[in-house]
Amino acid sequence: MRQLTKSVAAGVGTVALVGGIGAGLAYADTPTDEPTPSPTTTATTSATETPVAGPGGRRDENGFRKRFVRRHLRFVVRALHGEVTLAGEKHQVIAFQRGGVTKVSDTSLTVKSNDGFVETYVLSKDTNVRENGRDSKVADIDSSDRVLVVAAKDGSTLDARRVIVRSN
């Protein structure tokens, strides 16, 4: 019985130690809003001094350097719709939605996501429309298109800032 108690205590202690180390690593790698100071390089003419280089490493197509960030942002690729509140002097709510266009006019765009969520966005002259990586116009959007809409939310009004027309 005494040996069993020692084994259980050793196992619990090991699990606690591993959990503590994992939590410490997660805390140490948590992104912050504060910019990381980058090392500066100094121009010298002396052959004995080694110049200090900036951060290295290859970046992926999105500009991310760490696999940690890419792995934790995968949910964004699968997101159908949602809202994000941005901090600042005045907080700003940004809404986004992916889906098919159900109705379009010069002043509004209605989008339906795959889960049945339907929302109407206000279009203005400031709405940026992109199709196949190029600038486009609201008039080029039709009801057979699939889009990603990014909008600023003010009360119950969703003012479309960007509409990206996706290829089918």
Side-chain angles (χ1 to χ4, degrees):
M1 183 70 174
R2 183 173 268 180
Q3 181 63 27
L4 177 64
T5 304
K6 286 182 182 180
S7 296
V8 169
V12 169
T14 303
V15 169
L17 178 65
V18 170
I21 291 171
L25 289 174
Y27 177 77
D29 203 17
T30 302
T32 65
D33 292 335
E34 298 293 324
T36 305
S38 60
T40 58
T41 59
T42 56
T44 61
T45 57
S46 172
T48 59
E49 293 184 33
T50 305
V52 178
R58 292 174 44 162
R59 293 177 181 260
D60 67 0
E61 64 276 358
N62 296 321
F64 293 123
R65 189 180 346 256
K66 293 183 176 183
R67 279 184 268 158
F68 172 82
V69 174
R70 288 192 312 257
R71 183 176 69 239
H72 287 82
L73 291 179
R74 285 184 187 161
F75 72 91
V76 174
V77 175
R78 296 185 352 228
L80 295 177
H81 53 87
E83 291 182 357
V84 177
T85 303
L86 302 178
E89 290 181 24
K90 181 181 176 192
H91 294 322
Q92 185 177 12
V93 179
I94 302 296
F96 67 92
Q97 183 178 2
R98 295 177 204 271
V101 175
T102 58
K103 187 176 175 184
V104 64
S105 71
D106 291 339
T107 59
S108 69
L109 173 71
T110 303
V111 179
K112 181 177 182 180
S113 296
N114 289 343
D115 65 345
F117 179 79
V118 178
E119 191 66 72
T120 301
Y121 301 90
V122 176
L123 300 174
S124 68
K125 61 180 175 74
D126 295 329
T127 302
N128 183 337
V129 180
R130 306 267 305 166
E131 184 172 5
N132 297 325
R134 298 176 190 228
D135 288 336
S136 189
K137 297 179 237 159
V138 172
D140 295 336
I141 301 172
D142 63 20
S143 59
S144 66
D145 289 331
R146 297 203 48 82
V147 295
L148 165 64
V149 181
V150 179
K153 185 174 182 180
D154 186 17
S156 62
T157 304
L158 293 168
D159 186 23
R161 299 288 187 213
R162 177 169 280 207
V163 178
I164 300 172
V165 180
R166 302 286 184 183
S167 56
N168 293 334

